[in-house]
Amino acid sequence: MKDITTLVQQMTLEEKAALVTGASAWTTTPVERLGVPELFVSDGPHGVRRVPDVHALGAQSLPATCFPTAALLAATWNSDLLHEMGQALAGEANALGVGVLLGPGVNMKRSPLCGRNFEYFSEDPFLAGELAASLVEGMQSGGIGVSLKHFAANNQEYQRFSTDTIVDERTLREIYLPAFERVVKRARPWTVMCAYNKLNGVYCSEHYALLVEILKQEWGFEGFVVSDWGAVPDRVKSLQGGLDLEMPGPKPYRTQKVVDAVRAGELDEAVLDEAVRRVLTIAFRAAETPKGRAFDIAADHALARRVAAEGMVLLKNDGLLPLQNPQRIAVIGRAAKEPHFQGGGSSHINPTRVDSPFDELQMRAGAAELTYSEGYPADDELQPALIDAAVEAARRAEVALIFAALPSYKESEGYDRTDLDLTAQQVALIQAVSAVQPRTVVILHNSSAVAMTAWIDGVAAVIEAWMMGQAGGGAIADILYGAVNPSGKLAETFPLRIEETPAYLNFPGDNGVVRYGEGLYIGYRYYDAKTAPVLFPFGYGLSYTTFAYSNARLSAATFRDVDGVTVSVDVTNTGAVAGKEIVQIYVHDRKASLVRPAKELKGFAKVELQPGETRTVSVALDFRAFAFWHPGHKQWITESGEFDILIGASAADMRASVPVTLQSTLALSSLLNIESTVRAWLEDPRGSVVSAGLFQQMMAQMGQTFGGGDNEGIGMDMMGFVMELPLASLLGFQEALLPAPSEVIVTELLRQVHEA
Ligand code: BGC
């Protein structure tokens, strides 16, 4: 590889300014005289969207495999499989001459209404981070870079270019950043894409604290930060904020502004040089892998089918599934013949081929008779005649299969959903069909939760098939006929009603601002805290077999945070067919100095078991599994004490709980200050020592200060009252009895505390 430092020195100011802005919609600027190659980037994330004309943003792309979208990938809970898919993506990117694939997106599913939820993994940062890291490792092992996006707190499409996300520091650290952090630290992505929106008042493209202090300095990110396409309102400010590459280009006017700013002394040339260094590093790294290898269309299609089947979630099954060779099947719904396998927008892939669910079913069904009814139109009109025809077909059949896909006018990149519902026609269709045919299966295509209470009781089975990629049609047939035993579990809670979702009162915001008022409590963290019922909990999914958990145990009953602890459990397949179970490990902190969610996912494992087989699943829990972000200390902290390790088959189905004691190795400085309460002083290890004498004296004088020491005078529990008073205020009431003014005493105590 070229010596980058020397190269930067050899480049003119104009060349450097040009390098940090794209040369086209999809390429960076080459510097021929110095042998600097152009870097070719393409969307992403679940396939390669390589457009032939580099200046055409939205043009039809070259054929590539459309893998399932992230919503389905997350429901696989299968890191190895995603690694494999990453390798396949890298192979296709290579074949199509692409150096960096723009994805994956690891933004949290804060609300099911986000139009782009199909591109996002989960409501849980640990799950999203772990799975995305495996995908990224797979891709980059093939010599193709990724662009982890959209950094950060980009959780809606409404006003996505400008909205100001207001989120408190702890929530940002514990919910919205950890998936990025995990991927950056574990998988070392070549690039990170900043989000369009503002974060606490500053555009993400100019956010020094986010891009430089957190991403580059704290997490050690070594690649370049690229703007989302068109996310840069001010190029000079964005360079100062840590944004290395602006896309798309060219933008001669802005390039000149960068040159002028350096000449005028407004932009430190060292800042520009750093961006140049980062872009060069990746451009050369990408060039190391020769492009243009062929890819195996059939093999990738087969992989897409395996992935699709593994991420579909069986939500309900009265025993109808797997199908026992019915001879008359009513296939209902446009999506049976026009499969809904991807979302609209920048991730739209031109598939190499597409499996039609209807055709795939016909292949499985052999001589059985399949009828097809459209069921609902492509638009939002009500067409009762389509329902009537479907009802007739269902009545004559042994089984009805309804394919219901949320239409793209309801859900896409660029705009959000306004409700959780299927279309009115689809709801009426399901109700009418299931009224005459109780043996009805509903197959859903959507990117996030949909409401089902209006119809779910009437149907025999429901399969969540997501936006399933080009091979999803075959995967559905595999599951319906039991060739594949479903093993997906939800990576997000399915609520009963939109009004009961955590962000309901704060989505999508107004007046240019969205406040994350629910704080840490998104997804199951919220429903746990409210003990609120849901339609289907996080981590839920059925199988054609059953699993028993036994012998839950830990590697130690007491452990140091830096050593971590390993939890093990034996899982047995107690049914008649082979299957895969997803074991979920949640951590519950019995007592903490700050409020914490009741439990948080900190580990998981997917295990395949033959009937009767037992295997031990072991999951290691590290420091971070027990830590929380303390805004006072500005760091991740652990606190000594008791925890419970919960082993579950879903967030609402705990199979075992094991207590464990953590010993924190942190020596934290005291947070006591002039406002600290009596309680805080008593609970502070150092504060309680230095103030012990004073407290004794105060307690003795309490009666004198507050009149008699009983609760009669002002009708309250005096101790309860005193505990929540700032120490300085309490002393203020006793000032006459004190040797010095209260603030002098407290200041002296604080000096003793902090000098320790
Ligand atoms: C999207 C990105 C995408 C980019 C390039 C943007 O509008 O938000 O995810 O990578 O366009 O197409």
Side-chain angles (χ1 to χ4, degrees), residues 381-402:
E381 257 184 69
L382 279 174
Q383 293 201 20
L386 293 182
I387 296 179
D388 294 345
V391 166
E392 266 324 295
R395 201 195 304 273
R396 287 195 302 268
E398 291 163 49
V399 171
L401 307 176
I402 305 180

Side-chain angles (χ1 to χ4, degrees), residues 315-333:
L315 294 175
K316 176 175 180 180
N317 186 14
D318 281 358
L320 177 61
L321 298 181
L323 296 174
Q324 304 298 322
N325 287 320
Q327 290 307 297
R328 292 187 316 282
I329 305 174
V331 179
I332 297 165

Side-chain angles (χ1 to χ4, degrees), residues 157-294:
E157 294 301 281
Y158 178 71
Q159 297 188 340
R160 70 169 167 155
F161 278 71
S162 59
T163 199
D164 188 4
T165 301
I166 304 297
V167 53
D168 68 86
E169 177 185 338
R170 183 168 169 218
T171 300
L172 190 63
R173 289 291 192 156
E174 291 191 20
I175 302 293
Y176 295 98
L177 294 187
F180 289 97
E181 180 183 4
R182 196 160 280 275
V183 179
V184 166
K185 288 182 173 171
R186 208 188 101 185
R188 298 177 165 267
W190 292 9
T191 83
V192 168
M193 185 189 292
C194 81
Y196 286 122
N197 51 286
K198 300 186 198 95
L199 174 59
N200 293 328
V202 181
Y203 278 109
C204 288
S205 64
E206 302 173 356
H207 210 300
Y208 187 83
L210 185 69
L211 303 182
V212 178
E213 291 176 352
I214 295 178
L215 176 64
K216 293 179 181 175
Q217 293 173 355
E218 195 184 312
W219 298 349
F221 172 65
E222 285 165 352
F224 67 70
V225 180
V226 59
S227 70
D228 198 344
W229 268 229
V232 178
D234 183 323
R235 186 60 184 115
V236 173
K237 273 196 196 168
S238 70
L239 276 164
Q240 286 161 335
L243 190 279
D244 303 303
L245 174 66
E246 175 181 10
M247 289 298 280
K251 295 221 159 68
Y253 171 74
R254 288 180 170 213
T255 306
Q256 187 57 44
K257 277 196 128 175
V258 170
V259 170
D260 294 345
V262 171
R263 294 230 162 94
E266 289 155 11
L267 174 65
D268 186 350
E269 193 163 355
V271 169
L272 176 60
D273 286 355
E274 171 63 5
V276 168
R277 186 186 68 75
R278 286 175 179 265
V279 175
L280 287 177
T281 304
I282 300 302
F284 279 105
R285 189 180 299 166
E288 281 170 19
T289 305
K291 304 291 186 296
R293 286 203 319 254

Side-chain angles (χ1 to χ4, degrees), residues 348-574:
H348 209 79
I349 301 301
N350 178 13
T352 54
R353 51 184 263 209
V354 178
D355 283 355
S356 140
F358 185 88
D359 294 347
E360 295 293 328
L361 283 167
Q362 186 69 77
M363 270 185 254
R364 287 259 173 220
E369 181 206 337
L370 264 66
T371 60
Y372 169 74
S373 326
E374 187 180 326
Y376 49 90
D379 56 24
D380 63 350
E381 257 184 69
L382 279 174
Q383 293 201 20
L386 293 182
I387 296 179
D388 294 345
V391 166
E392 266 324 295
R395 201 195 304 273
R396 287 195 302 268
E398 291 163 49
V399 171
L401 307 176
I402 305 180
F403 290 77
L406 263 196
S408 58
Y409 64 79
K410 267 193 164 258
E411 151 172 89
S412 163
E413 177 180 347
Y415 44 90
D416 294 317
R417 290 159 73 189
T418 51
D419 55 57
L420 280 189
D421 302 324
L422 298 174
T423 68
Q425 169 101 4
Q426 287 167 341
V427 171
L429 172 74
I430 297 171
Q431 288 169 333
V433 167
S434 58
V436 301
Q437 179 50 274
R439 290 161 61 86
T440 291
V441 184
V442 175
I443 297 111
L444 293 167
H445 299 287
N446 44 275
S447 70
S448 209
V450 291
M452 302 183 203
T453 30
W455 51 263
I456 191 164
D457 288 345
V459 305
V462 180
I463 296 173
E464 177 53 79
W466 312 107
M467 295 187 190
M468 57 191 181
Q470 67 180 45
I476 290 174
D478 290 342
I479 286 181
L480 286 172
Y481 277 88
V484 170
N485 185 352
S487 67
K489 291 193 180 186
L490 295 178
E492 63 183 285
T493 311
F494 274 34
L496 289 162
R497 305 188 309 139
I498 187 59
E499 291 83 352
E500 288 161 16
T501 57
Y504 180 66
L505 296 178
N506 290 295
F507 185 97
D510 58 11
N511 202 25
V513 171
V514 53
R515 283 187 188 75
Y516 286 16
E518 70 287 355
L520 302 170
Y521 297 93
I522 71 166
Y524 65 87
R525 290 166 171 80
Y526 174 84
Y527 301 103
D528 276 355
K530 302 269 288 187
T531 60
V534 298
L535 180 60
F536 297 113
F538 175 83
Y540 167 89
L542 301 172
S543 165
Y544 295 150
T545 187
T546 48
F547 301 96
Y549 292 54
S550 60
N551 198 17
R553 58 211 184 263
L554 296 174
S555 56
T558 300
F559 70 102
R560 296 191 316 157
D561 51 8
V562 286
D563 300 331
V565 68
T566 296
V567 52
S568 301
V569 67
D570 298 341
V571 185
T572 305
N573 182 344
T574 48

Side-chain angles (χ1 to χ4, degrees), residues 87-172:
Q87 289 173 318
L89 280 173
E92 297 204 9
N94 181 303
L96 295 166
V98 171
V100 166
L101 198 66
L102 303 175
V106 292
N107 297 96
M108 289 295 94
K109 290 184 158 183
R110 174 178 175 245
S111 164
L113 298 182
C114 173
R116 215 171 172 184
N117 271 349
F118 65 94
E119 279 192 65
Y120 299 143
F121 287 79
S122 178
E123 68 188 21
D124 183 84
F126 178 82
L127 181 61
E130 276 295 294
L131 293 175
S134 296
L135 185 68
V136 170
E137 281 169 350
M139 283 169 72
Q140 295 196 163
S141 71
I144 302 298
V146 305
S147 200
L148 188 67
K149 64 193 188 182
H150 307 88
F151 193 56
N154 177 188
N155 309 93
Q156 64 187 48
E157 294 301 281
Y158 178 71
Q159 297 188 340
R160 70 169 167 155
F161 278 71
S162 59
T163 199
D164 188 4
T165 301
I166 304 297
V167 53
D168 68 86
E169 177 185 338
R170 183 168 169 218
T171 300
L172 190 63

Side-chain angles (χ1 to χ4, degrees), residues 415-744:
Y415 44 90
D416 294 317
R417 290 159 73 189
T418 51
D419 55 57
L420 280 189
D421 302 324
L422 298 174
T423 68
Q425 169 101 4
Q426 287 167 341
V427 171
L429 172 74
I430 297 171
Q431 288 169 333
V433 167
S434 58
V436 301
Q437 179 50 274
R439 290 161 61 86
T440 291
V441 184
V442 175
I443 297 111
L444 293 167
H445 299 287
N446 44 275
S447 70
S448 209
V450 291
M452 302 183 203
T453 30
W455 51 263
I456 191 164
D457 288 345
V459 305
V462 180
I463 296 173
E464 177 53 79
W466 312 107
M467 295 187 190
M468 57 191 181
Q470 67 180 45
I476 290 174
D478 290 342
I479 286 181
L480 286 172
Y481 277 88
V484 170
N485 185 352
S487 67
K489 291 193 180 186
L490 295 178
E492 63 183 285
T493 311
F494 274 34
L496 289 162
R497 305 188 309 139
I498 187 59
E499 291 83 352
E500 288 161 16
T501 57
Y504 180 66
L505 296 178
N506 290 295
F507 185 97
D510 58 11
N511 202 25
V513 171
V514 53
R515 283 187 188 75
Y516 286 16
E518 70 287 355
L520 302 170
Y521 297 93
I522 71 166
Y524 65 87
R525 290 166 171 80
Y526 174 84
Y527 301 103
D528 276 355
K530 302 269 288 187
T531 60
V534 298
L535 180 60
F536 297 113
F538 175 83
Y540 167 89
L542 301 172
S543 165
Y544 295 150
T545 187
T546 48
F547 301 96
Y549 292 54
S550 60
N551 198 17
R553 58 211 184 263
L554 296 174
S555 56
T558 300
F559 70 102
R560 296 191 316 157
D561 51 8
V562 286
D563 300 331
V565 68
T566 296
V567 52
S568 301
V569 67
D570 298 341
V571 185
T572 305
N573 182 344
T574 48
V577 290
K580 294 181 190 174
E581 172 65 329
I582 297 162
V583 178
Q584 302 158 41
I585 311 296
Y586 298 86
V587 172
H588 165 72
D589 190 351
R590 288 197 191 167
K591 185 170 181 292
S593 58
L594 300 184
V595 290
R596 297 194 71 178
K599 65 171 182 288
E600 297 185 279
L601 182 79
K602 297 297 174 184
F604 60 90
K606 191 162 192 174
V607 58
E608 182 163 17
L609 296 165
Q610 298 304 314
E613 187 183 357
T614 299
R615 280 186 191 223
T616 300
V617 168
S618 292
V619 174
L621 299 170
D622 62 7
F623 178 98
R624 278 290 287 274
F626 300 88
F628 59 95
W629 180 266
H630 199 301
H633 293 292
K634 298 235 166 284
Q635 71 180 76
W636 291 97
I637 72 159
T638 54
E639 291 175 337
S640 297
E642 302 289 310
F643 290 77
D644 296 297
I645 311 299
L646 310 172
I647 302 165
S650 85
D653 182 8
M654 290 310 147
R655 301 296 181 88
S657 168
V658 198
V660 68
T661 303
L662 177 142
Q663 291 172 342
S664 178
T665 55
L666 295 178
L668 296 169
S669 53
S670 168
L671 292 177
L672 289 177
N673 61 32
I674 197 73
E675 292 178 345
S676 297
T677 61
V678 170
R679 181 189 301 282
W681 278 90
L682 291 175
E683 286 179 355
D684 188 273
R686 178 92 192 131
S688 58
V689 173
V690 303
S691 62
L694 179 73
F695 274 116
Q696 253 175 3
Q697 190 188 336
M698 272 171 12
M699 292 316 286
Q701 291 164 353
M702 196 80 134
Q704 238 172 302
T705 311
F706 291 107
D710 57 26
N711 301 338
E712 307 274 297
I714 43 180
M716 56 166 50
D717 169 23
M718 202 47 74
M719 267 324 278
F721 174 67
V722 164
M723 289 294 270
E724 307 310 330
L725 271 183
L727 178 59
S729 307
L730 176 62
L731 293 180
F733 293 119
Q734 300 184 323
E735 202 137 292
L737 306 167
L738 295 172
S742 55
E743 57 267 44
V744 173

